[in-house]
Amino acid sequence: METTTMIQVKELTRTFKRFTLGPLNLDVERGIAVGVIGANGSGKTTLFRLIMRLLKEDTGNIQMFGLTEENDEWKGKIGFAGGLLDAYDFLRVEELKNLISRWYPAWDEDQFLYFVNRYKIDVFERFGKCSKGTKKKLEFVFALSHNPELLLLDEPTAGVDLVSQRKMKEDLIRFMEDGTKSILLATHEVDEINQLCDEIVVLDRGRVMHRYNKDDIYDQWARIWVSVVNDDLIHHPNVIHYETAPPQIVTNQVEAIQEIVQKNEMKIQHIQRLSMEEVLEYLIESN
Ligand SMILES: Nc1ncnc2c1ncn2[C@@H]1O[C@H](COP(=O)(O)OP(=O)(O)OP(=O)(O)O)[C@@H](O)[C@H]1O
């Protein structure tokens, strides 16, 4: 039977002179799209490079598709877009395609041609001469053109024009459609979280601080105006933020707050669900 865990990261650490990633644990299950968010420098790219074995960990381990460490079949099952092609600046896009397609037994030439047409990419241009956005689109196209089971995308739409961004999101939704594939996506884009991700992992200073199901965020995160903000609310673990004038709190667990309010014989004046943008700001800022 096919394994249900695509990526299993255990107690991973990697230290640079001025930054330590981990110890970090992270699972990505089959059929799930996981968004990784975090402030600049929180370790997203470092994590992706460790998963791709472009960097060596100091401690811990990473298991891909349930395979043993010696078995490198996982490489063919992953589509990676993370700024790796710059070493090939001297090649024309078509030459680069010829090279990359040889790495992947499941390369799909028709798919590639469909994508270069869809994203209006000139295959005779030298990779080094392509614009920043075109390079991003090309990495994305290469990643998708060999029928991967898992996409590892590091800010795939950064610098990409709006029309192409929309198309990339459509292509990713289509990629996830049959329920057997997964995505790990580092992003600063709220729309990508909203439209693509099932779960959100928040990185801060190299560690996973939170992991949320997106639907739980929609259900449970709210701003609540109350009759008074007392100590029970101020110190409550589910209160993320409070203000006293007018009295209001932001929570990640509406029911817990309703209980406290009832117990203290206070009143809820109004409840307003937060937008995903507000939630992500709180998640990144609160660390
Ligand atoms: N090869 C390296 N040598 C030394 N420090 C490094 C190296 N690679 C990354 N770092 C440091 O690791 C930290 C995390 O960087 P990383 O690029 O992983 O963050 P990020 O979350 O992807 O940031 P951004 O959102 O800006 O892309 C930074 O402080 C960076 O300077």
Side-chain angles (χ1 to χ4, degrees):
M1 207 178 93
E2 292 255 58
T3 173
T4 59
T5 307
M6 297 257 192
I7 306 176
Q8 190 169 53
V9 173
K10 276 196 187 149
E11 298 297 317
L12 190 70
T13 68
R14 169 69 202 237
T15 296
F16 298 121
K17 206 168 171 189
R18 305 181 55 172
F19 177 81
T20 294
L21 182 111
L24 187 147
N25 294 290
L26 177 72
D27 287 355
V28 178
E29 301 297 320
R30 189 175 289 278
I32 298 287
V34 179
V36 182
I37 64 161
N40 295 133
S42 54
K44 300 178 295 295
T45 298
T46 304
L47 171 64
F48 278 47
R49 295 176 75 85
L50 284 161
I51 293 173
M52 286 304 293
R53 310 285 205 273
L54 300 166
L55 264 180
K56 177 92 183 85
E57 66 275 11
D58 295 330
T59 60
N61 66 71
I62 303 166
Q63 195 176 28
M64 305 299 291
F65 306 97
L67 299 167
T68 57
E69 213 169 312
E70 307 76 58
N71 187 338
D72 65 1
E73 266 175 47
W74 61 272
K75 287 184 182 165
K77 296 171 187 261
I78 292 188
F80 176 61
L84 267 195
L85 299 177
D86 291 347
Y88 301 102
D89 267 0
F90 60 97
L91 291 180
R92 294 187 194 282
V93 170
E94 191 167 55
E95 294 167 330
L96 190 51
K97 183 267 298 181
N98 290 339
L99 180 76
I100 292 174
S101 62
R102 266 183 258 133
W103 300 342
Y104 296 104
W107 180 262
D108 185 336
E109 186 68 15
D110 289 343
Q111 185 81 286
F112 174 76
L113 293 173
Y114 163 77
F115 281 132
V116 289
N117 185 38
R118 176 167 166 79
Y119 291 104
K120 301 187 170 51
I121 293 167
D122 175 3
V123 294
F124 301 108
E125 184 65 278
R126 260 182 224 293
F127 186 69
K129 290 218 173 130
C130 290
S131 69
K132 184 180 157 203
T134 301
K135 284 183 173 178
K136 280 288 204 186
K137 288 191 279 190
L138 257 171
E139 280 199 313
F140 180 79
V141 167
F142 285 134
L144 271 171
S145 295
H146 64 88
N147 290 312
E149 291 178 35
L150 167 69
L151 284 174
L152 225 62
L153 308 172
D154 191 359
E155 296 183 38
T157 62
V160 170
D161 68 74
L162 289 175
V163 174
S164 301
Q165 280 192 31
R166 195 244 312 142
K167 290 180 181 174
M168 286 163 95
K169 281 181 268 186
E170 283 169 8
D171 289 337
L172 292 176
I173 289 167
R174 209 164 300 135
F175 174 79
M176 291 299 291
E177 245 162 28
D178 73 2
T180 67
K181 314 229 176 66
S182 304
I183 299 176
L184 187 65
L185 166 78
T187 185
H188 296 291
E189 299 295 326
V190 182
D191 279 354
E192 287 171 23
I193 297 285
N194 259 332
Q195 291 168 31
L196 301 171
C197 297
D198 304 294
E199 296 189 9
I200 299 161
V201 164
V202 185
L203 272 194
D204 178 48
R205 284 161 284 179
R207 289 178 174 234
V208 173
M209 298 306 285
H210 308 280
R211 182 168 182 156
Y212 286 102
N213 184 295
K214 192 177 66 184
D215 292 340
D216 290 344
I217 287 184
Y218 292 137
D219 285 351
Q220 295 298 336
W221 281 70
R223 186 181 301 278
I224 305 182
W225 283 263
V226 284
S227 45
V228 61
V229 174
N230 68 3
D231 276 357
D232 277 6
L233 281 178
I234 289 173
H235 301 297
H236 197 281
N238 295 113
V239 171
I240 307 294
H241 172 83
Y242 70 90
E243 284 170 39
T244 47
Q248 60 188 277
I249 57 109
V250 171
T251 182
N252 60 5
Q253 188 61 255
V254 174
E255 282 127 30
I257 301 308
Q258 283 168 327
E259 248 173 60
I260 289 285
V261 166
Q262 216 170 19
K263 216 171 81 190
N264 284 265
E265 293 181 357
M266 300 180 313
K267 270 205 179 113
I268 288 181
Q269 321 282 18
H270 184 59
I271 299 181
Q272 185 185 61
R273 304 286 156 184
L274 295 190
S275 68
M276 184 56 74
E277 186 163 1
E278 288 174 293
V279 172
L280 296 187
E281 278 195 28
Y282 278 119
L283 284 175
I284 291 171
E285 253 180 22
S286 69
N287 296 314

